[in-house]
Amino acid sequence: MIKAAFFDVDGTLLSHNSKSIPDSAKKALQAMREKGIQLFLATGRGKSEINRLPVKDLTFDGYVTLNGQICLDSEKKLSYGIPLQGKSLENVLDIFCKKETPFILVEEERLYINFINDEVVEAQKDISTPLPQIREYEGDPVYMAIGFFTEDQTEAWENKLPDCTITRWNPKGVDIIAKGGSKAAGVARIAGMHGWDVSEIIAFGDGENDIEMMQYAGIGVAMGNAEEPVKAIADYVTTDIDQDGIWNAAKQYGLL
Protein backbone atom coordinates (compact mmCIF):
# COMPACT_ATOMS: atom_id res chain seq x y z
CA MET A 1 0.00 0.00 0.00
CA ILE A 2 1.35 3.43 -0.98
CA LYS A 3 1.77 5.77 1.99
CA ALA A 4 3.82 8.60 0.43
CA ALA A 5 4.16 10.22 -2.99
CA PHE A 6 7.09 12.40 -4.06
CA PHE A 7 6.77 14.80 -6.99
CA ASP A 8 9.38 16.63 -9.00
CA VAL A 9 8.29 20.17 -9.93
CA ASP A 10 9.49 21.21 -13.39
CA GLY A 11 7.95 19.11 -16.14
CA THR A 12 6.17 16.90 -13.61
CA LEU A 13 3.79 19.15 -11.66
CA LEU A 14 4.60 22.45 -13.35
CA SER A 15 4.03 22.77 -17.10
CA HIS A 16 6.31 25.24 -18.82
CA ASN A 17 3.88 25.35 -21.74
CA SER A 18 0.95 26.64 -19.70
CA LYS A 19 3.15 28.06 -16.88
CA SER A 20 0.80 26.34 -14.45
CA ILE A 21 -0.13 23.09 -12.72
CA PRO A 22 -2.72 21.16 -14.75
CA ASP A 23 -6.14 20.94 -13.07
CA SER A 24 -6.04 17.15 -13.42
CA ALA A 25 -2.81 17.06 -11.37
CA LYS A 26 -4.39 19.17 -8.63
CA LYS A 27 -7.39 16.84 -8.53
CA ALA A 28 -5.11 13.79 -8.39
CA LEU A 29 -3.17 15.19 -5.44
CA GLN A 30 -6.37 15.98 -3.59
CA ALA A 31 -7.73 12.49 -4.23
CA MET A 32 -4.50 10.92 -3.02
CA ARG A 33 -4.57 13.01 0.15
CA GLU A 34 -8.15 11.92 0.80
CA LYS A 35 -6.91 8.31 0.65
CA GLY A 36 -4.40 9.09 3.39
CA ILE A 37 -1.32 9.33 1.17
CA GLN A 38 1.20 11.94 2.30
CA LEU A 39 2.46 14.27 -0.43
CA PHE A 40 5.95 15.70 -0.83
CA LEU A 41 7.82 17.86 -3.31
CA ALA A 42 11.23 16.58 -4.41
CA THR A 43 12.93 19.26 -6.46
CA GLY A 44 16.22 20.80 -7.45
CA ARG A 45 14.78 24.18 -6.59
CA GLY A 46 15.18 25.93 -3.25
CA LYS A 47 12.67 27.44 -0.85
CA SER A 48 12.89 30.94 -2.35
CA GLU A 49 11.89 29.55 -5.77
CA ILE A 50 9.14 27.28 -4.43
CA ASN A 51 7.59 30.30 -2.73
CA ARG A 52 7.06 32.11 -6.05
CA LEU A 53 5.98 29.17 -8.22
CA PRO A 54 2.38 27.89 -8.58
CA VAL A 55 3.23 24.92 -6.32
CA LYS A 56 3.22 27.36 -3.39
CA ASP A 57 -0.56 27.21 -3.46
CA LEU A 58 -0.64 23.43 -2.94
CA THR A 59 -0.43 21.68 0.43
CA PHE A 60 2.48 19.30 1.03
CA ASP A 61 3.57 17.31 4.05
CA GLY A 62 7.21 18.16 3.43
CA TYR A 63 9.79 19.20 0.88
CA VAL A 64 12.99 17.64 -0.45
CA THR A 65 14.76 20.64 -1.97
CA LEU A 66 18.05 21.33 -3.72
CA ASN A 67 18.25 17.69 -4.86
CA GLY A 68 18.14 16.40 -1.30
CA GLN A 69 20.53 18.88 0.30
CA ILE A 70 17.78 20.56 2.33
CA CYS A 71 14.58 18.97 3.65
CA LEU A 72 11.74 21.11 4.99
CA ASP A 73 8.69 20.21 7.04
CA SER A 74 5.11 21.07 6.11
CA GLU A 75 5.66 24.63 7.34
CA LYS A 76 8.80 24.94 5.19
CA LYS A 77 11.01 24.97 8.26
CA LEU A 78 14.40 23.30 8.07
CA SER A 79 14.39 19.61 9.02
CA TYR A 80 17.99 19.04 8.00
CA GLY A 81 20.55 20.40 5.61
CA ILE A 82 23.84 19.25 4.10
CA PRO A 83 25.89 22.24 2.88
CA LEU A 84 28.88 21.99 0.59
CA GLN A 85 32.01 21.65 2.70
CA GLY A 86 35.74 21.03 2.39
CA LYS A 87 37.14 20.52 -1.10
CA SER A 88 33.73 20.55 -2.80
CA LEU A 89 32.98 24.02 -1.41
CA GLU A 90 36.50 25.25 -2.07
CA ASN A 91 36.36 24.23 -5.73
CA VAL A 92 32.90 25.70 -6.31
CA LEU A 93 33.83 29.02 -4.71
CA ASP A 94 37.04 29.19 -6.75
CA ILE A 95 35.04 28.84 -9.97
CA PHE A 96 32.37 31.29 -8.77
CA CYS A 97 34.91 33.95 -7.84
CA LYS A 98 36.95 33.65 -11.07
CA LYS A 99 33.82 34.58 -13.07
CA GLU A 100 34.89 32.66 -16.16
CA THR A 101 31.73 30.50 -16.18
CA PRO A 102 28.28 31.55 -14.94
CA PHE A 103 27.67 29.96 -11.53
CA ILE A 104 24.76 30.35 -9.14
CA LEU A 105 25.25 29.75 -5.42
CA VAL A 106 22.17 28.52 -3.56
CA GLU A 107 21.80 29.19 0.17
CA GLU A 108 18.87 28.28 2.41
CA GLU A 109 16.95 31.51 1.80
CA ARG A 110 18.43 32.95 -1.39
CA LEU A 111 20.38 32.32 -4.58
CA TYR A 112 22.60 34.61 -6.64
CA ILE A 113 24.96 34.48 -9.63
CA ASN A 114 28.47 35.70 -10.45
CA PHE A 115 27.56 37.02 -13.93
CA ILE A 116 24.93 36.55 -16.64
CA ASN A 117 25.39 35.63 -20.31
CA ASP A 118 23.13 34.41 -23.14
CA GLU A 119 23.27 30.78 -21.93
CA VAL A 120 21.94 31.82 -18.52
CA VAL A 121 19.15 33.87 -20.09
CA GLU A 122 18.05 30.98 -22.31
CA ALA A 123 18.23 28.32 -19.59
CA GLN A 124 16.30 30.39 -17.05
CA LYS A 125 13.67 31.19 -19.65
CA ASP A 126 13.21 27.47 -20.33
CA ILE A 127 12.18 26.89 -16.72
CA SER A 128 10.07 30.04 -16.40
CA THR A 129 12.50 31.51 -13.89
CA PRO A 130 13.67 35.14 -13.63
CA LEU A 131 17.35 35.94 -13.80
CA PRO A 132 19.05 35.78 -10.38
CA GLN A 133 20.64 38.77 -8.74
CA ILE A 134 24.37 39.28 -9.30
CA ARG A 135 26.17 39.22 -5.94
CA GLU A 136 29.47 38.35 -4.32
CA TYR A 137 29.85 35.41 -1.93
CA GLU A 138 29.59 36.62 1.68
CA GLY A 139 30.40 33.48 3.65
CA ASP A 140 26.98 31.92 4.34
CA PRO A 141 26.46 28.14 3.95
CA VAL A 142 26.06 27.04 0.32
CA TYR A 143 23.93 23.94 -0.30
CA MET A 144 24.09 23.75 -4.08
CA ALA A 145 25.64 25.43 -7.09
CA ILE A 146 24.18 25.75 -10.56
CA GLY A 147 26.58 25.82 -13.49
CA PHE A 148 25.86 26.85 -17.06
CA PHE A 149 27.77 24.81 -19.63
CA THR A 150 26.86 22.46 -22.47
CA GLU A 151 26.62 18.68 -22.41
CA ASP A 152 29.87 18.17 -24.31
CA GLN A 153 31.67 20.00 -21.50
CA THR A 154 30.26 17.86 -18.69
CA GLU A 155 33.16 15.42 -18.42
CA ALA A 156 35.68 18.26 -18.16
CA TRP A 157 33.64 19.81 -15.34
CA GLU A 158 33.34 16.49 -13.55
CA ASN A 159 37.13 16.39 -13.55
CA LYS A 160 37.26 19.93 -12.14
CA LEU A 161 34.76 19.04 -9.41
CA PRO A 162 35.66 15.47 -8.36
CA ASP A 163 34.07 15.90 -4.91
CA CYS A 164 30.70 16.87 -6.36
CA THR A 165 27.76 15.23 -8.10
CA ILE A 166 26.64 16.95 -11.31
CA THR A 167 23.15 16.39 -12.74
CA ARG A 168 21.77 18.11 -15.82
CA TRP A 169 18.37 19.84 -15.90
CA ASN A 170 18.78 21.71 -19.19
CA PRO A 171 21.05 21.47 -22.26
CA LYS A 172 22.88 24.46 -20.82
CA GLY A 173 22.44 24.02 -17.06
CA VAL A 174 23.43 21.60 -14.29
CA ASP A 175 22.96 21.23 -10.54
CA ILE A 176 26.10 20.68 -8.45
CA ILE A 177 25.92 19.17 -4.96
CA ALA A 178 28.23 17.31 -2.60
CA LYS A 179 29.23 13.81 -3.74
CA GLY A 180 26.67 11.24 -2.63
CA GLY A 181 23.83 13.73 -2.40
CA SER A 182 20.62 13.18 -4.36
CA LYS A 183 16.85 13.41 -4.19
CA ALA A 184 16.94 9.72 -3.31
CA ALA A 185 18.98 10.47 -0.19
CA GLY A 186 16.43 13.09 0.87
CA VAL A 187 13.51 10.76 0.23
CA ALA A 188 15.26 7.98 2.18
CA ARG A 189 15.77 10.27 5.15
CA ILE A 190 12.08 11.22 5.21
CA ALA A 191 11.08 7.57 4.79
CA GLY A 192 13.26 6.68 7.76
CA MET A 193 11.65 9.37 9.90
CA HIS A 194 8.20 7.90 9.18
CA GLY A 195 9.17 4.25 9.17
CA TRP A 196 8.11 3.67 5.56
CA ASP A 197 9.39 0.80 3.49
CA VAL A 198 10.44 1.65 -0.07
CA SER A 199 7.49 -0.43 -1.32
CA GLU A 200 5.19 2.17 0.26
CA ILE A 201 6.63 5.06 -1.78
CA ILE A 202 5.83 6.28 -5.29
CA ALA A 203 7.93 8.93 -7.05
CA PHE A 204 7.15 10.99 -10.15
CA GLY A 205 9.77 12.69 -12.32
CA ASP A 206 11.00 13.66 -15.76
CA GLY A 207 14.64 14.69 -15.50
CA GLU A 208 18.09 13.27 -14.91
CA ASN A 209 18.08 14.36 -11.27
CA ASP A 210 14.95 12.23 -10.70
CA ILE A 211 16.49 8.91 -11.74
CA GLU A 212 17.96 7.86 -8.38
CA MET A 213 14.76 8.86 -6.56
CA MET A 214 12.63 6.84 -8.97
CA GLN A 215 14.93 3.84 -8.64
CA TYR A 216 14.80 4.10 -4.84
CA ALA A 217 11.01 4.28 -4.65
CA GLY A 218 8.86 1.18 -4.82
CA ILE A 219 7.22 2.67 -7.90
CA GLY A 220 8.97 5.14 -10.19
CA VAL A 221 6.75 6.99 -12.66
CA ALA A 222 8.20 8.86 -15.64
CA MET A 223 6.15 11.58 -17.30
CA GLY A 224 5.43 11.21 -21.00
CA ASN A 225 7.58 14.29 -21.57
CA ALA A 226 10.49 12.81 -19.60
CA GLU A 227 13.98 12.39 -20.99
CA GLU A 228 14.62 8.95 -22.53
CA PRO A 229 17.05 7.75 -19.79
CA VAL A 230 14.33 8.53 -17.22
CA LYS A 231 11.73 6.55 -19.14
CA ALA A 232 14.18 3.67 -19.45
CA ILE A 233 14.41 3.12 -15.68
CA ALA A 234 10.76 3.85 -14.84
CA ASP A 235 8.31 1.24 -13.63
CA TYR A 236 5.63 3.08 -15.56
CA VAL A 237 5.63 5.79 -18.23
CA THR A 238 2.52 7.93 -18.03
CA THR A 239 1.25 10.55 -20.45
CA ASP A 240 2.64 14.05 -20.94
CA ILE A 241 2.26 16.58 -18.14
CA ASP A 242 -0.23 18.47 -20.31
CA GLN A 243 -2.15 15.28 -21.08
CA ASP A 244 -3.17 14.43 -17.50
CA GLY A 245 0.05 12.53 -16.74
CA ILE A 246 -0.21 12.65 -12.94
CA TRP A 247 -3.91 11.73 -12.95
CA ASN A 248 -3.42 8.82 -15.34
CA ALA A 249 -0.53 7.37 -13.33
CA ALA A 250 -2.44 7.72 -10.06
CA LYS A 251 -5.39 5.94 -11.67
CA GLN A 252 -3.10 3.20 -12.98
CA TYR A 253 -1.94 2.42 -9.45
CA GLY A 254 -5.31 2.78 -7.73
CA LEU A 255 -4.39 5.95 -5.85
CA LEU A 256 -7.55 7.91 -6.68
Side-chain angles (χ1 to χ4, degrees), residues 31-252:
M32 292 167 73
R33 182 173 296 284
E34 289 173 359
K35 289 197 70 168
I37 298 170
Q38 293 197 43
L39 309 177
F40 297 83
L41 279 190
T43 176
R45 293 184 184 265
K47 182 164 68 173
S48 62
E49 294 180 289
I50 291 170
N51 286 338
R52 63 165 186 75
L53 292 171
V55 291
K56 73 180 186 301
D57 298 320
L58 300 178
T59 300
F60 293 97
D61 297 288
Y63 303 79
V64 176
T65 72
L66 305 181
N67 292 326
Q69 299 309 99
I70 286 182
C71 282
L72 308 171
D73 64 17
S74 60
E75 302 297 321
K76 297 179 186 171
K77 294 180 181 178
L78 184 68
S79 294
Y80 84 93
I82 306 174
L84 290 167
Q85 300 182 63
K87 200 68 176 176
S88 59
L89 177 62
E90 181 181 325
N91 289 338
V92 163
L93 291 180
D94 181 61
I95 294 165
F96 180 86
C97 293
K98 283 181 177 178
K99 300 182 181 180
E100 296 172 352
T101 300
F103 256 56
I104 291 174
L105 298 184
V106 187
E107 300 173 357
E108 182 183 352
E109 298 287 348
R110 65 178 182 176
L111 56 81
Y112 49 93
I113 195 168
N114 53 359
F115 74 96
I116 294 170
N117 63 11
D118 290 343
E119 283 70 26
V120 176
V121 173
E122 292 175 15
Q124 295 297 97
K125 183 178 179 181
D126 285 346
I127 59 170
S128 309
T129 300
L131 294 172
Q133 184 179 12
I134 297 174
R135 297 178 61 103
E136 301 293 329
Y137 175 62
E138 298 177 353
D140 291 325
V142 175
Y143 292 87
M144 187 174 82
I146 300 171
F148 295 87
F149 49 82
T150 56
E151 294 181 60
D152 61 338
Q153 298 174 304
T154 301
E155 184 176 353
W157 280 99
E158 287 174 340
N159 292 332
K160 290 181 181 180
L161 297 167
D163 299 290
C164 296
T165 295
I166 298 175
T167 53
R168 185 163 293 279
W169 51 266
N170 180 275
K172 296 183 174 66
V174 300
D175 292 333
I176 301 165
I177 59 177
K179 184 72 76 175
S182 68
K183 289 186 182 182
V187 173
R189 185 174 290 265
I190 289 177
M193 291 168 55
H194 290 272
W196 295 324
D197 184 79
V198 292
S199 64
E200 298 172 313
I201 296 171
I202 186 170
F204 298 75
D206 74 307
E208 180 183 331
N209 64 350
D210 297 315
I211 289 177
E212 289 186 38
M213 172 180 72
M214 290 167 57
Q215 290 176 320
Y216 170 82
I219 300 171
V221 176
M223 304 301 292
N225 47 279
E227 299 168 6
E228 288 306 316
V230 183
K231 292 180 179 179
I233 61 88
D235 297 297
Y236 180 70
V237 179
T238 187
T239 49
D240 189 282
I241 182 175
D242 295 309
Q243 296 173 337
D244 303 329
I246 297 294
W247 176 273
N248 289 335
K251 184 177 180 180
Q252 169 72 18

Side-chain angles (χ1 to χ4, degrees), residues 10-11 14-20 45 126-128 241-242:
D10 297 284
L14 176 63
S15 168
H16 292 297
N17 293 321
S18 66
K19 315 296 184 186
S20 64
R45 293 184 184 265
D126 285 346
I127 59 170
S128 309
I241 182 175
D242 295 309

Side-chain angles (χ1 to χ4, degrees), residues 5-32:
F6 290 80
F7 300 88
D8 171 53
V9 173
D10 297 284
T12 300
L13 282 179
L14 176 63
S15 168
H16 292 297
N17 293 321
S18 66
K19 315 296 184 186
S20 64
I21 300 168
D23 287 340
S24 62
K26 295 177 183 178
K27 291 177 182 176
L29 266 61
Q30 180 60 33
M32 292 167 73

